[in-house]
Amino acid sequence: MINQLKENTKMLIEATEYLMDTFIKVKASGKGEDFYEVVVPFANKVKKINEDWKVSAINWVVANKPEYLYAAQIQSASDHLEIISVSAFYPDTSKKRFMDAIKSVQYTLEVLLNQLSSIEKK
């Protein structure tokens, strides 16, 4: 379970990096991506990983009670991830809102990954 949770966390970190790059590119060009060819496939891929990750991460957090990480943060990160996995592809997305959401998600993912990695080292 921990290995799968760690793997999903890494995949979501990669997804947020891609979303950040995409958002910057789309904002600069002023042109959104094609909804059916680009947005839907990516959002669906992230949604599947996100759903598995959320359940595993909440269960792990509740069972292990790590410092600086709570079930509500996992839920919030999951919700934000669903929103930004679509909104990154559109130039009219608010920069402040997007940046706040993605930073929050990245922080939660990094804290979880660090906690999981520290368990392996023990």
Side-chain angles (χ1 to χ4, degrees):
M1 180 187 135
I2 289 179
N3 287 341
Q4 186 61 48
L5 177 56
K6 193 172 180 182
E7 195 58 37
N8 284 344
T9 303
K10 288 178 182 178
M11 286 192 288
L12 291 176
I13 288 170
E14 289 173 13
T16 61
E17 290 167 357
Y18 174 78
L19 287 167
M20 180 70 88
D21 292 344
T22 299
F23 178 76
I24 291 167
K25 181 184 85 172
V26 167
K27 214 50 165 162
S29 72
K31 295 181 180 178
E33 296 287 346
D34 183 84
F35 183 73
Y36 293 105
E37 289 185 25
V38 178
V39 180
V40 171
F42 181 80
N44 286 341
K45 178 182 164 191
V46 169
K47 182 178 175 73
K48 183 180 178 346
I49 298 166
N50 185 24
E51 287 172 354
D52 293 342
W53 173 82
K54 179 176 73 171
V55 171
S56 299
I58 287 174
N59 289 338
W60 187 84
V61 166
V62 168
N64 293 280
K65 297 179 181 26
E67 289 185 339
Y68 313 115
L69 197 58
Y70 305 96
Q73 279 175 280
I74 302 295
Q75 181 65 52
S76 178
S78 176
D79 294 345
H80 285 313
L81 196 52
E82 279 198 35
I83 294 166
I84 64 174
S85 68
V86 174
S87 64
F89 296 94
Y90 297 102
D92 59 340
T93 297
S94 164
K95 183 177 181 180
K96 179 176 177 13
R97 230 173 168 187
F98 180 85
M99 296 305 280
D100 288 348
I102 201 162
K103 285 178 183 176
S104 173
V105 170
Q106 287 175 327
Y107 173 80
T108 302
L109 292 170
E110 291 292 341
V111 169
L112 178 61
L113 188 60
N114 288 340
Q115 292 285 342
L116 294 170
S117 295
S118 70
I119 288 174
E120 287 182 350
K121 292 176 185 173
K122 289 181 180 176

